[in-house]
Amino acid sequence: MDTRQLKYFLAVVDHDGFNRAAEHLLIAQPSLSQTIAGLEKDLGVPLFHRIGRRAVLSEAGKELIGPARLVLRDLDAAQSAVQALSGVRSGRLDIITMPSPGIEPLTSMIAGFTRLHPSVRLNVGAAFTPEEVIESVRNGSNEIGLAGSATQIRVPGVQVLELERQPLILIVNPQADTFNSGTAIQREDLGGHRLIASQRGSLMRWLVDDALAQGVRTEIVIEVAHRTSILPLVLAGVGHAVMPSSWAPLAHKSGLRTLLIEPVSHLDVAVLSRKEDLTPAARAFLKVAELHVAQKLTGDIPGPTVR
């Protein structure tokens, strides 16, 4: 087994088949198939089941994904460490994030990181639950993960750095703004209003469902999986939206008003990583994250405001 075989194996996994993987690798498809066949022979087990023109991962193939990613990442770490001795700062950092932390604090941290390490390439993937982020960090698909949860995240074997707490706010539909002129509302004030809701399982959806359970006569007009659609929907007058305060700056730039919802519920945002064997790029990013926390504590980074 060699790293080239592992790289080709992961290409087939990531690009959902041999043809697309060969195009990505810029090699002929027969050469890729031959390399994978050699890897399967070395291991003594099939990694893919060939079903017609499709290649479906076998159980052995599924088990190999995580270790293969770790091997290639550790190789990158070794190369980056040697390059760092000669003053070369390069490499690649894979990050996975949930939508709201992906707006903030990830944007601020990436801006700080790229100023310090402009030659490191960042790849940011998407997740929609803390469990997805945790699993991706554990299996080595990504070195850094950002997750938001209703409670503090505690995971054996995973390093967790708490970044900030984001209160839930209401992004106000300007065509139905009958709220008072203050900066906060009570949950019962949602009564009689139409809401754009996130999918079940999110803290934002829990707040809406809890209000409904408490007898608040609000209406869910649309359920949105892709949260990038939420601000355009509010601007179009479809309804109000309950979101974490990380969305407030974008809402304000769009000319929308935001209101703190009381009693306040918070989204706890944390950065996750392996406890050891991190690449230099990942360790450098964690230092930027630690600086972000320190600046939040001293007030050097203001939190999102409501207005």
Side-chain angles (χ1 to χ4, degrees):
M1 187 189 308
D2 59 41
T3 56
R4 181 177 64 92
Q5 291 174 316
L6 295 179
K7 179 181 177 182
Y8 285 13
F9 165 72
L10 290 176
V12 177
V13 173
D14 293 337
H15 295 277
D16 198 27
F18 281 76
N19 289 334
R20 291 180 180 176
E23 291 175 2
H24 172 74
L25 294 167
L26 302 178
I27 63 172
Q29 195 270 339
S31 297
L32 174 60
S33 297
Q34 185 177 6
T35 300
I36 297 299
L39 177 58
E40 291 176 321
K41 182 179 179 181
D42 291 342
L43 294 172
V45 291
L47 299 173
F48 298 95
H49 298 303
R50 277 69 171 181
I51 302 175
R53 295 184 176 182
R54 297 178 59 225
V56 180
L57 275 168
S58 67
E59 287 302 313
K62 292 176 182 177
E63 289 296 320
L64 181 60
I65 293 175
R69 293 194 194 280
L70 292 177
V71 168
L72 294 182
R73 199 180 305 284
D74 287 344
L75 178 61
D76 287 341
Q79 292 173 335
S80 297
V82 172
Q83 290 172 344
L85 293 176
S86 59
V88 178
R89 299 290 179 180
S90 62
R92 166 177 166 152
L93 178 58
D94 294 315
I95 301 171
I96 187 167
T97 181
M98 292 173 62
S100 294
I103 292 179
E104 279 296 343
L106 182 60
T107 298
S108 295
M109 291 193 297
I110 284 180
F113 179 84
T114 54
R115 283 194 295 269
L116 295 171
H117 308 285
S119 298
V120 177
R121 177 185 173 187
L122 300 180
N123 179 58
V124 181
F128 294 94
T129 65
E131 290 74 22
E132 289 179 73
V133 176
I134 293 167
E135 179 58 25
S136 182
V137 171
R138 273 181 165 169
N139 66 28
S141 297
N142 291 274
E143 284 198 278
I144 300 293
L146 268 79
S149 175
T151 57
Q152 294 180 348
I153 297 174
R154 293 288 183 269
V155 186
V158 175
Q159 180 173 302
V160 179
L161 173 64
E162 296 173 12
L163 295 174
E164 60 188 39
R165 304 185 76 206
Q166 299 179 359
L168 295 192
I169 60 172
L170 186 72
I171 303 177
V172 180
N173 169 15
Q175 299 180 27
D177 187 356
T178 59
F179 301 105
N180 60 44
S181 59
T183 59
I185 59 169
Q186 301 296 309
R187 290 185 188 176
E188 53 264 31
D189 294 330
L190 297 174
H193 289 277
R194 293 159 61 88
L195 297 180
I196 301 162
S198 300
Q199 288 182 306
R200 292 187 185 277
S202 68
L203 178 63
M204 296 76 75
R205 180 57 179 269
W206 170 86
L207 186 148
V208 175
D209 288 342
D210 184 64
L212 287 166
Q214 297 300 321
V216 177
R217 299 178 65 84
T218 189
E219 176 188 358
I220 297 176
V221 63
I222 182 172
E223 183 178 281
V224 179
H226 296 287
R227 295 177 195 168
T228 51
S229 302
I230 288 179
L231 284 183
L233 287 169
V234 175
L235 285 166
V238 174
H240 310 294
V242 176
M243 297 298 289
S245 60
S246 58
W247 291 78
L250 284 176
H252 297 160
K253 288 180 180 178
S254 300
L256 297 171
R257 190 161 77 107
T258 60
L259 298 167
L260 184 68
I261 302 173
E262 297 177 335
V264 179
S265 296
H266 290 91
L267 186 73
D268 285 306
V269 178
V271 61
L272 283 61
S273 64
R274 288 186 293 169
K275 290 188 174 181
E276 53 189 19
D277 299 327
L278 292 174
T279 62
R283 290 196 297 269
F285 191 90
L286 289 178
K287 289 182 179 179
V288 171
E290 291 168 357
L291 178 61
H292 177 87
V293 173
Q295 290 174 331
K296 292 285 283 189
L297 291 175
T298 60
D300 291 339
I301 298 180
T305 58
V306 292
R307 67 175 187 224

